[in-house]
Amino acid sequence: MNKIVAKEHFSENVVKLVVEAPLIAKSRKAGHFVIVRVGEKGERIPLTIADADVEKGTITLVAQKIGVSTHKLCALNVGDEITDVVGPLGKATHIENFGTVVCAGGGVGVAPLLPIVKAMKAAGNRVVTVLAARNKDLIILEDEMRQASDEVIIMTDDGSAGKKGLVTEGVESVIKREKVDLCVTIGPAIMMKFVSLLTKKYELPTVASLNTIMVDGTGMCGACRLTVGGKTKFVCVDGPEFDAHQVDFDEMLMRMGAYKELEQADFANKILKK
């Protein structure tokens, strides 16, 4: 059991939880994730570790209310305990001094991007971070990103914060004005697809984190298998980060919608009818 020691609402549906997990805090690296479970019969939820405090023995997780399990997790309060927190899992982000790195995050994908931004900066890179959301209320961790980055560009669909436009426009503006050596992108699959298409045009090496498709987290369920470079990969054990230009994003988008109707029915029965 892992106690929640702090909770913050970024928006109505996005919650930050600081959780006691001293062993995970000590050993985690940028890119690692954990599997959490609420209740003995709870579903396994993969969440990338957004931050950690070794001295306090805590890790920070950001969750978005989507289905039954995430609603249960986000309903927990300070003092409550999460039944299971297992990790760190997955392969850590490859960090080195590449030169200039553009980090593009969308929605809650900004949370797992934060430790990568910090690690890239610590390795001596110039880090330009592009944060994107539908509106200003959905931009998260802006202050933390500004502290960790050399520059932060905000893009919103409605222009309510930063510049009006898509994340790809923000990324391309950087590519056009200076030499960029690497792009890292985390967010909705459709966002990562178009960031990848953009950077491929400029022959810019790009890494995408595909954690949104994971379920089991140990490679046993097979739900996260994808085609990468013409070969079958399991996101949870082979990733979650891959060469974005090798990822079949169309296959990923199709697979992510495979259980949508069942999930909606379960949500209606267990949450909406309460």
Side-chain angles (χ1 to χ4, degrees), residues 55-120:
E55 291 186 1
K56 294 181 179 179
T58 61
I59 60 173
T60 300
L61 305 174
V62 176
Q64 181 177 17
K65 297 179 186 178
I66 298 176
V68 174
S69 298
T70 47
H71 269 76
K72 289 180 179 179
L73 176 63
C74 292
L76 297 178
N77 293 306
V78 173
D80 291 337
E81 294 184 329
I82 300 175
T83 309
D84 293 315
V85 179
V86 179
L89 300 170
K91 294 182 177 179
T93 306
H94 175 67
I95 303 292
E96 64 174 85
N97 190 339
F98 295 97
T100 296
V101 180
V102 172
C103 294
V108 291
V110 172
L113 191 64
L114 179 59
I116 297 174
V117 169
K118 289 182 176 180
M120 287 293 184

Side-chain angles (χ1 to χ4, degrees), residues 181-214:
D181 300 284
L182 178 71
C183 177
V184 179
T185 181
I186 309 180
I190 191 68
M191 185 207 89
M192 293 189 289
K193 173 184 175 179
F194 282 100
V195 169
S196 176
L197 289 172
L198 171 69
T199 57
K200 190 172 185 178
K201 181 177 72 173
Y202 288 98
E203 298 183 344
L204 172 61
T206 300
V207 174
S209 180
L210 311 183
N211 48 45
T212 54
I213 197 172
M214 293 189 296

Side-chain angles (χ1 to χ4, degrees), residues 116-137:
I116 297 174
V117 169
K118 289 182 176 180
M120 287 293 184
K121 182 61 180 174
N125 293 284
R126 166 172 161 76
V127 181
V128 180
T129 301
V130 182
L131 305 181
R134 293 195 305 275
N135 57 61
K136 65 178 181 179
D137 295 329

